[in-house]
Amino acid sequence: MILDLVIVGGGASGFMGAITAINSGLRSVVILEGGAKVLEKVRISGGGRCNLTNSCWEISDLVSNYPRGEKQLIGLFNRFSTIDAFDWFQSKGLSLKIEKDGRVFPNSDSSEEVIKCLTSVAKKLGIKVFTNSHVKKVTIQQEGYNLFVKGNKFFEAKNILICTGGHPSGRRLAKSLGHSIVHPVPSLFSLSTSENSLQSCSGISLDVQSKLIVNKKKFGESGSVLITHKGFSGPMILRLSAFGARDLYVNNYQGELKINWLSMREDEVNLKINLYKLHNGKKSIFNNKPFYNLPRSLWRALLLSLNIDSQLKWSDLSKSMKDSIVKCLIMSRYKINSRGPYGEEFVTAGGVSLQEINFKTMESKICKGLYFAGEVLNIDGITGGFNFQHCWTSGWVAGNSITAK
């Protein structure tokens, strides 16, 4: 029997593609998952809560969260965006909530509910799912494709949808069918430094402005940074690492991080310090700070890094010392010497070349009947539900396109 569609990869985009294809009129759809369980990335994402999308409704704002693929995603999101994904899951009985930072989670805070939603819908529609079914080889035949699966299994299909995420198996299949692969490198990771001036501040989180410089190329961001015992993490750092992923990789993860701890201009900081000094001359600099939002331990650590006497009073602060403090507050410099732990969803920058995909259909420009969706493509987003959103969208577009054809 020649199947209408075989999907290689039982992840987010694979299930969305399968469900959409059947709902649109396709008759026979099979999902082949190489691992022992389907939807494993859904299971572990968001610490087991599954951040399945984001409440960024404006498409122009939404695409800015993708270091690679921004241009291609504009058209895709105009067809199936974050609001469509939100409504899709709600219509399938999954109750969702939006948190203050815009991330969307199931009300139950359990990724198992998302998995249950997708697998139960697939089962009701008659979609067959085979686990431990690693696709070793794909060959082209007159009416479609032959798929050779681990354990001497064999499938024939009119169409194939490859959505293996960051796993190398999908890239190998794509390459064997004539596609170019952009070498995958890590994205979404913390930054490490050998400098120890902030070790006493480990665990502190605050909003800052920063600039990452990698081999003269600059990446600027504002947002929350988390000081760790080895360097820096938090949403802003993950975003910097995503946009600078390829440059950091090429430069062996060497660079410089500049931080404006106050997110203020130099003249504003100067004025505030001058006024504080005027009214608090007898007070200790170490125990009394002009900036309410700056944690005390960080204030002290920055002063110690400048070798300022811990007994110094505000009235004894010289102009040169004051200038050093101002500079430190708005432009602290830290040498980055490596990347820290890989991000929460093990996102990669790289994959199947976007120039070889028709983004109106997700079909290959090289092989008719071959489609791609999800992270197997050279598209990736920052943390916050954006990578899953790309999976839902590309899977939905592919599923509809295959049926329409």
PDB file of all heavy atoms in Angstrom, residues 9-35:
ATOM      1  N   GLY A   9       9.648  11.852  12.125  1.00  0.00           N
ATOM      2  CA  GLY A   9       9.823  12.650  13.333  1.00  0.00           C
ATOM      3  C   GLY A   9       8.511  12.856  14.066  1.00  0.00           C
ATOM      4  O   GLY A   9       7.598  13.486  13.534  1.00  0.00           O
ATOM      5  N   GLY A  10       8.437  12.348  15.290  1.00  0.00           N
ATOM      6  CA  GLY A  10       7.211  12.470  16.075  1.00  0.00           C
ATOM      7  C   GLY A  10       7.283  13.569  17.108  1.00  0.00           C
ATOM      8  O   GLY A  10       7.028  13.356  18.303  1.00  0.00           O
ATOM      9  N   GLY A  11       7.621  14.767  16.649  1.00  0.00           N
ATOM     10  CA  GLY A  11       7.679  15.921  17.538  1.00  0.00           C
ATOM     11  C   GLY A  11       6.528  16.875  17.284  1.00  0.00           C
ATOM     12  O   GLY A  11       5.502  16.509  16.702  1.00  0.00           O
ATOM     13  N   ALA A  12       6.709  18.119  17.692  1.00  0.00           N
ATOM     14  CA  ALA A  12       5.643  19.128  17.592  1.00  0.00           C
ATOM     15  C   ALA A  12       5.183  19.346  16.158  1.00  0.00           C
ATOM     16  O   ALA A  12       3.989  19.257  15.850  1.00  0.00           O
ATOM     17  CB  ALA A  12       6.138  20.445  18.199  1.00  0.00           C
ATOM     18  N   SER A  13       6.125  19.620  15.250  1.00  0.00           N
ATOM     19  CA  SER A  13       5.742  19.894  13.861  1.00  0.00           C
ATOM     20  C   SER A  13       5.211  18.640  13.174  1.00  0.00           C
ATOM     21  O   SER A  13       4.329  18.718  12.315  1.00  0.00           O
ATOM     22  CB  SER A  13       6.927  20.466  13.080  1.00  0.00           C
ATOM     23  OG  SER A  13       8.070  19.646  13.221  1.00  0.00           O
ATOM     24  N   GLY A  14       5.710  17.468  13.559  1.00  0.00           N
ATOM     25  CA  GLY A  14       5.241  16.225  12.970  1.00  0.00           C
ATOM     26  C   GLY A  14       3.786  15.953  13.297  1.00  0.00           C
ATOM     27  O   GLY A  14       2.989  15.609  12.416  1.00  0.00           O
ATOM     28  N   PHE A  15       3.420  16.113  14.560  1.00  0.00           N
ATOM     29  CA  PHE A  15       2.030  15.880  14.955  1.00  0.00           C
ATOM     30  C   PHE A  15       1.101  16.934  14.369  1.00  0.00           C
ATOM     31  O   PHE A  15      -0.009  16.610  13.922  1.00  0.00           O
ATOM     32  CB  PHE A  15       1.909  15.828  16.481  1.00  0.00           C
ATOM     33  CG  PHE A  15       2.044  14.435  17.031  1.00  0.00           C
ATOM     34  CD1 PHE A  15       3.300  13.890  17.223  1.00  0.00           C
ATOM     35  CD2 PHE A  15       0.938  13.660  17.309  1.00  0.00           C
ATOM     36  CE1 PHE A  15       3.455  12.593  17.710  1.00  0.00           C
ATOM     37  CE2 PHE A  15       1.063  12.369  17.794  1.00  0.00           C
ATOM     38  CZ  PHE A  15       2.327  11.828  17.994  1.00  0.00           C
ATOM     39  N   MET A  16       1.537  18.193  14.346  1.00  0.00           N
ATOM     40  CA  MET A  16       0.698  19.238  13.756  1.00  0.00           C
ATOM     41  C   MET A  16       0.494  18.978  12.265  1.00  0.00           C
ATOM     42  O   MET A  16      -0.621  19.120  11.740  1.00  0.00           O
ATOM     43  CB  MET A  16       1.324  20.619  13.966  1.00  0.00           C
ATOM     44  CG  MET A  16       0.532  21.764  13.341  1.00  0.00           C
ATOM     45  SD  MET A  16      -1.175  21.917  13.956  1.00  0.00           S
ATOM     46  CE  MET A  16      -0.899  22.915  15.437  1.00  0.00           C
ATOM     47  N   GLY A  17       1.557  18.586  11.579  1.00  0.00           N
ATOM     48  CA  GLY A  17       1.453  18.281  10.154  1.00  0.00           C
ATOM     49  C   GLY A  17       0.512  17.120   9.884  1.00  0.00           C
ATOM     50  O   GLY A  17      -0.309  17.164   8.961  1.00  0.00           O
ATOM     51  N   ALA A  18       0.617  16.062  10.696  1.00  0.00           N
ATOM     52  CA  ALA A  18      -0.218  14.877  10.520  1.00  0.00           C
ATOM     53  C   ALA A  18      -1.690  15.185  10.768  1.00  0.00           C
ATOM     54  O   ALA A  18      -2.564  14.826   9.962  1.00  0.00           O
ATOM     55  CB  ALA A  18       0.250  13.777  11.473  1.00  0.00           C
ATOM     56  N   ILE A  19      -1.979  15.863  11.870  1.00  0.00           N
ATOM     57  CA  ILE A  19      -3.362  16.187  12.226  1.00  0.00           C
ATOM     58  C   ILE A  19      -3.988  17.109  11.183  1.00  0.00           C
ATOM     59  O   ILE A  19      -5.127  16.911  10.752  1.00  0.00           O
ATOM     60  CB  ILE A  19      -3.411  16.836  13.632  1.00  0.00           C
ATOM     61  CG1 ILE A  19      -3.050  15.798  14.700  1.00  0.00           C
ATOM     62  CG2 ILE A  19      -4.790  17.441  13.918  1.00  0.00           C
ATOM     63  CD1 ILE A  19      -2.769  16.375  16.077  1.00  0.00           C
ATOM     64  N   THR A  20      -3.222  18.107  10.740  1.00  0.00           N
ATOM     65  CA  THR A  20      -3.728  19.049   9.734  1.00  0.00           C
ATOM     66  C   THR A  20      -4.001  18.351   8.408  1.00  0.00           C
ATOM     67  O   THR A  20      -5.019  18.594   7.757  1.00  0.00           O
ATOM     68  CB  THR A  20      -2.721  20.195   9.512  1.00  0.00           C
ATOM     69  OG1 THR A  20      -2.460  20.833  10.763  1.00  0.00           O
ATOM     70  CG2 THR A  20      -3.273  21.225   8.538  1.00  0.00           C
ATOM     71  N   ALA A  21      -3.102  17.467   8.007  1.00  0.00           N
ATOM     72  CA  ALA A  21      -3.268  16.745   6.733  1.00  0.00           C
ATOM     73  C   ALA A  21      -4.526  15.892   6.732  1.00  0.00           C
ATOM     74  O   ALA A  21      -5.288  15.889   5.757  1.00  0.00           O
ATOM     75  CB  ALA A  21      -2.036  15.888   6.462  1.00  0.00           C
ATOM     76  N   ILE A  22      -4.756  15.171   7.818  1.00  0.00           N
ATOM     77  CA  ILE A  22      -5.956  14.329   7.907  1.00  0.00           C
ATOM     78  C   ILE A  22      -7.215  15.197   7.953  1.00  0.00           C
ATOM     79  O   ILE A  22      -8.208  14.923   7.259  1.00  0.00           O
ATOM     80  CB  ILE A  22      -5.890  13.421   9.146  1.00  0.00           C
ATOM     81  CG1 ILE A  22      -4.851  12.318   8.938  1.00  0.00           C
ATOM     82  CG2 ILE A  22      -7.254  12.815   9.455  1.00  0.00           C
ATOM     83  CD1 ILE A  22      -5.270  11.212   7.990  1.00  0.00           C
ATOM     84  N   ASN A  23      -7.184  16.245   8.752  1.00  0.00           N
ATOM     85  CA  ASN A  23      -8.342  17.149   8.852  1.00  0.00           C
ATOM     86  C   ASN A  23      -8.656  17.824   7.523  1.00  0.00           C
ATOM     87  O   ASN A  23      -9.798  18.197   7.258  1.00  0.00           O
ATOM     88  CB  ASN A  23      -8.106  18.219   9.925  1.00  0.00           C
ATOM     89  CG  ASN A  23      -8.440  17.716  11.316  1.00  0.00           C
ATOM     90  OD1 ASN A  23      -9.283  16.842  11.479  1.00  0.00           O
ATOM     91  ND2 ASN A  23      -7.775  18.270  12.325  1.00  0.00           N
ATOM     92  N   SER A  24      -7.624  17.991   6.681  1.00  0.00           N
ATOM     93  CA  SER A  24      -7.815  18.648   5.386  1.00  0.00           C
ATOM     94  C   SER A  24      -8.239  17.684   4.285  1.00  0.00           C
ATOM     95  O   SER A  24      -8.538  18.111   3.173  1.00  0.00           O
ATOM     96  CB  SER A  24      -6.520  19.360   4.967  1.00  0.00           C
ATOM     97  OG  SER A  24      -6.164  20.335   5.916  1.00  0.00           O
ATOM     98  N   GLY A  25      -8.232  16.387   4.592  1.00  0.00           N
ATOM     99  CA  GLY A  25      -8.746  15.433   3.603  1.00  0.00           C
ATOM    100  C   GLY A  25      -7.849  14.283   3.222  1.00  0.00           C
ATOM    101  O   GLY A  25      -8.257  13.401   2.468  1.00  0.00           O
ATOM    102  N   LEU A  26      -6.599  14.255   3.710  1.00  0.00           N
ATOM    103  CA  LEU A  26      -5.724  13.125   3.395  1.00  0.00           C
ATOM    104  C   LEU A  26      -6.236  11.867   4.102  1.00  0.00           C
ATOM    105  O   LEU A  26      -6.820  11.943   5.179  1.00  0.00           O
ATOM    106  CB  LEU A  26      -4.290  13.430   3.854  1.00  0.00           C
ATOM    107  CG  LEU A  26      -3.180  13.255   2.817  1.00  0.00           C
ATOM    108  CD1 LEU A  26      -3.462  14.094   1.579  1.00  0.00           C
ATOM    109  CD2 LEU A  26      -1.841  13.669   3.407  1.00  0.00           C
ATOM    110  N   ARG A  27      -6.004  10.715   3.484  1.00  0.00           N
ATOM    111  CA  ARG A  27      -6.590   9.487   4.027  1.00  0.00           C
ATOM    112  C   ARG A  27      -5.622   8.663   4.867  1.00  0.00           C
ATOM    113  O   ARG A  27      -5.989   8.130   5.907  1.00  0.00           O
ATOM    114  CB  ARG A  27      -7.142   8.621   2.888  1.00  0.00           C
ATOM    115  CG  ARG A  27      -8.384   9.192   2.228  1.00  0.00           C
ATOM    116  CD  ARG A  27      -8.772   8.415   0.988  1.00  0.00           C
ATOM    117  NE  ARG A  27      -7.721   8.492  -0.040  1.00  0.00           N
ATOM    118  CZ  ARG A  27      -7.753   7.839  -1.192  1.00  0.00           C
ATOM    119  NH1 ARG A  27      -8.767   7.032  -1.464  1.00  0.00           N
ATOM    120  NH2 ARG A  27      -6.786   7.976  -2.077  1.00  0.00           N
ATOM    121  N   SER A  28      -4.390   8.518   4.412  1.00  0.00           N
ATOM    122  CA  SER A  28      -3.449   7.629   5.121  1.00  0.00           C
ATOM    123  C   SER A  28      -2.180   8.374   5.507  1.00  0.00           C
ATOM    124  O   SER A  28      -1.409   8.796   4.652  1.00  0.00           O
ATOM    125  CB  SER A  28      -3.104   6.423   4.245  1.00  0.00           C
ATOM    126  OG  SER A  28      -2.675   6.835   2.962  1.00  0.00           O
ATOM    127  N   VAL A  29      -1.996   8.542   6.821  1.00  0.00           N
ATOM    128  CA  VAL A  29      -0.837   9.267   7.341  1.00  0.00           C
ATOM    129  C   VAL A  29      -0.173   8.439   8.439  1.00  0.00           C
ATOM    130  O   VAL A  29      -0.846   7.924   9.347  1.00  0.00           O
ATOM    131  CB  VAL A  29      -1.249  10.638   7.914  1.00  0.00           C
ATOM    132  CG1 VAL A  29      -0.044  11.333   8.551  1.00  0.00           C
ATOM    133  CG2 VAL A  29      -1.852  11.519   6.827  1.00  0.00           C
ATOM    134  N   VAL A  30       1.136   8.302   8.349  1.00  0.00           N
ATOM    135  CA  VAL A  30       1.915   7.558   9.338  1.00  0.00           C
ATOM    136  C   VAL A  30       3.027   8.451   9.875  1.00  0.00           C
ATOM    137  O   VAL A  30       3.658   9.201   9.118  1.00  0.00           O
ATOM    138  CB  VAL A  30       2.522   6.281   8.702  1.00  0.00           C
ATOM    139  CG1 VAL A  30       3.630   5.700   9.566  1.00  0.00           C
ATOM    140  CG2 VAL A  30       1.442   5.241   8.479  1.00  0.00           C
ATOM    141  N   ILE A  31       3.250   8.381  11.194  1.00  0.00           N
ATOM    142  CA  ILE A  31       4.371   9.078  11.830  1.00  0.00           C
ATOM    143  C   ILE A  31       5.409   8.040  12.247  1.00  0.00           C
ATOM    144  O   ILE A  31       5.087   7.067  12.925  1.00  0.00           O
ATOM    145  CB  ILE A  31       3.917   9.879  13.072  1.00  0.00           C
ATOM    146  CG1 ILE A  31       2.972  11.017  12.674  1.00  0.00           C
ATOM    147  CG2 ILE A  31       5.131  10.436  13.819  1.00  0.00           C
ATOM    148  CD1 ILE A  31       2.391  11.781  13.858  1.00  0.00           C
ATOM    149  N   LEU A  32       6.663   8.262  11.833  1.00  0.00           N
ATOM    150  CA  LEU A  32       7.768   7.392  12.222  1.00  0.00           C
ATOM    151  C   LEU A  32       8.686   8.155  13.180  1.00  0.00           C
ATOM    152  O   LEU A  32       9.287   9.160  12.802  1.00  0.00           O
ATOM    153  CB  LEU A  32       8.562   6.945  10.991  1.00  0.00           C
ATOM    154  CG  LEU A  32       7.786   6.177   9.911  1.00  0.00           C
ATOM    155  CD1 LEU A  32       8.705   5.858   8.744  1.00  0.00           C
ATOM    156  CD2 LEU A  32       7.173   4.900  10.482  1.00  0.00           C
ATOM    157  N   GLU A  33       8.758   7.702  14.420  1.00  0.00           N
ATOM    158  CA  GLU A  33       9.606   8.324  15.436  1.00  0.00           C
ATOM    159  C   GLU A  33      10.772   7.408  15.760  1.00  0.00           C
ATOM    160  O   GLU A  33      10.591   6.232  16.092  1.00  0.00           O
ATOM    161  CB  GLU A  33       8.786   8.614  16.695  1.00  0.00           C
ATOM    162  CG  GLU A  33       9.584   8.969  17.930  1.00  0.00           C
ATOM    163  CD  GLU A  33      10.521  10.153  17.743  1.00  0.00           C
ATOM    164  OE1 GLU A  33      10.115  11.154  17.115  1.00  0.00           O
ATOM    165  OE2 GLU A  33      11.668  10.069  18.219  1.00  0.00           O
ATOM    166  N   GLY A  34      11.990   7.953  15.652  1.00  0.00           N
ATOM    167  CA  GLY A  34      13.179   7.138  15.887  1.00  0.00           C
ATOM    168  C   GLY A  34      13.382   6.751  17.342  1.00  0.00           C
ATOM    169  O   GLY A  34      13.969   5.717  17.640  1.00  0.00           O
ATOM    170  N   GLY A  35      12.895   7.581  18.265  1.00  0.00           N
ATOM    171  CA  GLY A  35      13.072   7.303  19.687  1.00  0.00           C
ATOM    172  C   GLY A  35      11.987   6.413  20.262  1.00  0.00           C
ATOM    173  O   GLY A  35      11.063   5.987  19.564  1.00  0.00           O
TER     174      GLY A  35
END
